[in-house]
Amino acid sequence: MTTPETPKKKRGTPWSWRSTPHNPDGTMTLIEHLYELRNRLIKGVLFIVIGMVIAWFLYNGILGILKHPYCALPSKYRLIPENPTNKCPLVYTGPLDAFLIRLKVSLIAGIILSSPLWLYQVWSFITPGLKRKERKLTVTFVLSSSVLFIGGAALAFFVLTKGLRVLVESGGSGTAALLSINQYLGFVIAMLTIFGVSFEVPLLIVMLNMTGMLTYARLKSWRRGLIFAMFLFAAVFTPGSDPFSMTALGLALTVLLEFAIQIARLHDKRKAKREAAAIPDDEASVIEPPSPIDVT
């Protein structure tokens, strides 16, 4: 007696653009995981390259924005050449410096511009192993991470205007700054990156709490240590090392940390109510007695 053959599961080809189809339960073989990782990496890199090309043509506008903290310094702290066409020039000393710095700025700007797209690829690679409710957090994760990174970069840009003046004024009277474009933009990009990435830490805490890996009770017991860790992180990793920048980053991270802890508290409270209302698997459900039969 012949039996119908079991239909074979389709598998993405090694060089297919489309992602490997997932099973309803989210299980995948090792080869399928590698195919999926490869496809997500290709898409993420392609989105970054597209953002980099766009930023390459917008370089002059981006450079003008990045130069604003330096140009905002009082003229007595900047070395201005005679009859200048540029009130706050940045110099370079090597023939390849201008091209390399444009390439670097375009790459960083491309990563920021395309962040919602490649972050979606990262989260889509993780979601097959999560529950259905957890997969619905994809849009929230992508939008929140993008907004937090941009918010951190915006705070860094504001702090730069104040912190750079503190650093330049520390040189004393009779000194003026004529900054190298490599050193200045490296300093600015490091500030934007550190502030932007550090703003993602509270989101990571919330996501760990949503997946059940980190509870509110544990966060509550760790609160003082986490606050100290935030200020220690700001003191060690802030590129400017000036008190204004370190204090601003430490306070911002503390506020975001407390916000994340309160979200975890509400989530665990709702989760406890759902579990209390649900019937455990090892407990028999209550059977109501049958209603009397009307013999008439």
Side-chain angles (χ1 to χ4, degrees):
M1 182 176 180
T2 59
T3 58
E5 296 182 357
T6 304
K8 296 181 179 180
K9 182 177 60 176
K10 295 182 180 180
R11 178 182 298 174
T13 58
W15 297 103
S16 62
W17 170 257
R18 299 179 60 184
S19 301
T20 305
H22 305 307
N23 293 327
D25 58 354
T27 58
M28 299 173 64
T29 65
L30 177 60
I31 299 299
E32 289 173 342
H33 271 294
L34 294 177
Y35 285 164
E36 180 73 7
L37 177 61
R38 189 276 325 279
N39 288 337
R40 296 298 179 184
L41 285 176
I42 291 175
K43 293 178 184 179
V45 171
L46 181 60
F47 289 137
I48 292 176
V49 170
I50 293 175
M52 183 178 176
V53 172
I54 296 174
W56 180 274
F57 292 100
L58 300 177
Y59 172 74
N60 290 330
I62 296 173
L63 181 62
I65 295 174
L66 296 178
K67 286 176 58 179
H68 175 74
Y70 174 58
C71 296
L73 291 174
S75 58
K76 63 180 180 179
Y77 296 116
R78 290 183 281 110
L79 184 61
I80 303 176
E82 296 181 359
N83 300 321
T85 56
N86 188 355
K87 296 295 183 180
C88 47
L90 296 173
V91 300
Y92 57 90
T93 57
L96 293 178
D97 287 352
F99 173 78
L100 293 178
I101 200 63
R102 182 166 187 164
L103 189 65
K104 182 178 181 180
V105 171
S106 300
L107 176 60
I108 300 299
I111 292 175
I112 296 175
L113 290 175
S114 62
S115 58
L117 299 176
W118 60 261
L119 282 172
Y120 175 80
Q121 300 302 319
V122 173
W123 188 251
S124 297
F125 178 73
I126 300 173
T127 49
L130 301 179
K131 299 178 181 179
R132 185 175 181 180
K133 292 183 179 180
E134 294 168 349
R135 296 179 189 177
K136 295 181 180 179
L137 298 175
T138 302
V139 177
T140 303
F141 169 79
V142 172
L143 292 180
S144 300
S145 58
S146 302
V147 170
L148 286 173
F149 188 91
I150 294 173
L155 178 62
F157 192 79
F158 170 77
V159 168
L160 268 171
T161 305
K162 305 295 183 180
L164 186 62
R165 180 167 182 172
V166 173
L167 295 175
V168 172
E169 287 179 351
S170 62
S173 59
T175 61
L178 181 60
L179 301 180
S180 166
I181 188 171
N182 285 329
Q183 295 177 346
Y184 174 75
L185 291 184
F187 172 73
V188 172
I189 291 174
M191 284 283 290
L192 297 178
T193 304
I194 292 296
F195 273 67
V197 172
S198 61
F199 269 45
E200 304 290 342
V201 174
L203 178 61
L204 177 62
I205 293 175
V206 172
M207 301 309 294
L208 291 176
N209 174 257
M210 293 292 180
T211 56
M213 300 176 64
L214 194 60
T215 62
Y216 165 71
R218 184 167 297 179
L219 288 172
K220 183 179 179 181
S221 63
W222 291 353
R223 179 184 274 118
R224 293 184 179 179
L226 289 174
I227 293 175
F228 175 78
M230 294 300 173
F231 279 93
L232 181 62
F233 174 86
V236 173
F237 290 98
T238 302
S241 299
D242 60 282
F244 184 80
S245 301
M246 292 187 294
T247 304
L249 181 58
L251 289 176
L253 291 179
T254 301
V255 172
L256 291 175
L257 172 66
E258 185 61 31
F259 189 68
I261 292 176
Q262 295 306 316
I263 293 177
R265 181 181 66 84
L266 296 176
H267 175 263
D268 287 1
K269 186 177 180 180
R270 289 195 297 265
K271 183 179 179 181
K273 288 183 178 180
R274 290 195 302 266
E275 292 178 351
I279 300 176
D281 295 336
D282 56 351
E283 180 179 335
S285 60
V286 179
I287 301 177
E288 297 181 358
S291 58
I293 301 176
D294 188 1
V295 295
T296 59

